[in-house]
Amino acid sequence: MRSVIRLIICLSLLTLTACEFDRHEMHQARQNLSYTTKLHHLHMLVNHSLQMATQGADMNLQGVEHGPAMLVKASGLLERAMSGPEMARMHKYGSGNKPLMKMTQELADKSAVLIEAMKGISTKTADKDAIRMLNHAVEVAATGSSLIMLGQQGMAGDIDAVMVNHGQLMLGEASGLLHDTTGAPEYRLLVSGVVQMLIGIPDMPIDSEDGDSK
């Protein structure tokens, strides 16, 4: 009888250990998913700042008074996304050296340089047609990137696949626009750096390291 009781106790302990292990694995998975989701949302804010900036730059080309204000707002949104308390919290809890975080920072840095260049665009700027096409490439890439990241979160059933597929098509279109546009070589170089990063970020895997649980 004692042997049976001991066996039952051992089996119970093994079951509890297995359950605890499963809970730990689930917790780790939730942390990693939460970290990636938070960064994707921050990416979407960066993307929107780029969309605002391209509109402002196009207004500058046409001499529309609202252009400079749009670019200032774009810079403000980019700064808010990258230096706000949410980003600070992620760095505090050890996410600063993760690949997706590094890529986010690099995208933000290149976006900031591009937006500053956009602020210098005016009705006197040369290669206007090329600049318009390059701005369109940025806007298309930013939109496609956001669609993919939103669809990857799996919140809307079958429509998620539609969003991801359309986002991929938009990234392909942006790449084609960049390839086909000649002129404004210095500006094109800045645009290329941003567009190539927008194409790459949605494909970044979920980090396998411990995520941010806050």
Side-chain angles (χ1 to χ4, degrees):
M1 184 65 180
R2 290 181 179 177
S3 298
V4 174
I5 293 173
R6 287 174 183 168
L7 179 60
I8 292 173
I9 292 173
C10 288
L11 290 173
S12 298
L13 289 173
L14 287 172
T15 301
L16 288 172
T17 301
C19 289
E20 184 62 30
F21 178 77
D22 288 343
R23 282 196 294 270
H24 176 72
E25 289 293 307
M26 291 176 65
H27 179 63
Q28 292 293 91
R30 289 194 191 100
Q31 284 183 324
N32 290 333
L33 181 59
S34 174
Y35 161 75
T36 304
T37 300
K38 288 176 182 178
L39 268 186
H40 276 179
H41 277 74
L42 287 171
H43 288 164
M44 284 186 266
L45 287 176
V46 173
N47 290 351
H48 187 56
S49 74
L50 286 167
Q51 291 167 322
M52 292 172 63
T54 57
Q55 294 169 16
D58 285 344
M59 290 180 189
N60 281 358
L61 280 175
Q62 301 171 48
V64 177
E65 185 178 351
H66 189 58
M70 283 286 287
L71 286 159
V72 169
K73 290 179 180 178
S75 292
L77 179 59
L78 179 61
E79 182 178 358
R80 172 63 181 82
M82 297 308 298
S83 62
E86 303 83 7
M87 181 62 78
R89 193 176 302 117
M90 295 180 79
H91 277 278
K92 179 180 178 180
Y93 289 99
S95 299
N97 293 322
K98 291 188 175 184
L100 192 55
M101 177 66 81
K102 290 180 178 179
M103 203 169 184
T104 303
Q105 187 62 60
E106 187 178 354
L107 171 64
D109 291 344
K110 290 185 176 183
S111 297
V113 173
L114 177 59
I115 291 173
E116 287 304 309
M118 289 175 170
K119 291 177 181 178
I121 291 174
S122 70
T123 55
K124 298 179 181 179
T125 299
D127 293 323
K128 287 185 176 62
D129 289 342
I131 288 175
R132 287 192 184 96
M133 293 302 292
L134 291 169
N135 287 346
H136 185 53
V138 173
E139 188 168 13
V140 170
T143 303
S145 171
S146 292
L147 284 174
I148 291 172
M149 288 186 287
L150 189 58
Q152 285 176 339
Q153 293 175 21
M155 298 183 296
D158 293 343
I159 196 66
D160 288 325
V162 177
M163 294 182 70
V164 170
N165 289 338
H166 187 65
Q168 290 170 339
L169 288 174
M170 295 190 78
L171 292 183
E173 181 181 346
S175 180
L177 285 168
L178 189 61
H179 180 269
D180 295 340
T181 302
T182 58
E186 293 182 3
Y187 189 71
R188 186 184 184 282
L189 187 62
L190 297 178
V191 167
S192 177
V194 170
V195 169
Q196 293 304 326
M197 291 210 70
L198 289 170
I199 291 172
I201 282 179
D203 295 328
M204 287 289 287
I206 293 176
D207 287 282
S208 59
E209 305 168 23
D210 290 348
D212 167 30
S213 61
K214 301 296 179 181

